[in-house]
Amino acid sequence: MPELPEVECLRRGLAHADLSSKVISSVWRSGLALRTGAFWRDERLHLLQRARTGSFERRGKFLLWRLTGEAGQDLAAVIHLGMTGRLTVCSPGTEPIAHTHVIVSLQGGPDLHYADARRFGGVHVDALDRLARVGPLANLGPEPLEPGFSAAQLESRGGRSRRAIRDVLLDQRVVAGLGNIYVSEALFRAGLPPIAPACELRPSAWARLCTAIDDVLRQGIRNGGTTLRDYRGAEGERGRNQNALAVYGRGGHPCPTCERTLRAYEHSGRSGVLCPRCQPARRRR
Ligand SMILES: [Zn+2]
């Protein structure tokens, strides 16, 4: 599933494609339902007609396309890639790939194609001020790559929870943008067992974790994102970060640090991988 680094790489690719200050001339929709939930079902794609395009921004795992509506109102299209979503810049007339569900055509080109085989992703257009109050953006936690993000902030938001630290980090209200890949990698780098209760971590562990989160996210962005199967950048390119992962998806392989065999585990219905030596369960944290 695309996480912060993948969405950020896509955003940068779209920004580079120079799609701003153009008028949207048409919107095509396949008619097949995308992401579930009332917010996503109410897509409001009609607001895109004749809108003027602005910049691409990112919040957590969400891509935001700023637009000015036909009547001059500030709008944004919120795009979530779900599991298999791809947003690609295409020259006009490009034959859409299989599972294309939305095509936005800009006057004078290019087109933007949204394809999504499993249809867990979605698009929703609304007034910018409403998006800050309603829907999934309203309750997002802080951005981990913003300058104000700190170990103390992370601890104050998640440190009282008895839940496993992995689950606390996956909670988008605690910190925005992390999913299974980068949480697994950050916990490995910080030397923390994924199922340790968050409330048992000491300040030094939060500090290591905060540094590790920053490191793994920046590495993911530098490597163009992680492509396990479906993720593609704005020009359809694959990421390279899958070659740099230490633990995620590597159960049964040797740990890159200590060479002990990495172990798959399951906790509260989610599976993961850890190194039993580098992430010991019994140790003062
Ligand atoms: Zn190890």
Side-chain angles (χ1 to χ4, degrees), residues 46 63 69 75 92 99 104 121 123 175 184 192 222 226 255 269 283:
H46 61 275
L63 185 70
L75 303 174
H99 309 294
V104 176
V123 183
V175 53
S184 300
L192 293 170
R222 269 199 314 277
T226 301
C255 168
R283 187 176 77 183

Side-chain angles (χ1 to χ4, degrees), residues 155 158-165 168 196-203 206 285:
E155 183 177 3
R160 282 184 301 276
S161 176
R162 300 207 55 79
R163 289 186 296 163
I165 180 61
V168 168
C199 59
E200 291 182 6
L201 300 193
R202 301 195 306 174
W206 289 104
R285 302 177 187 111

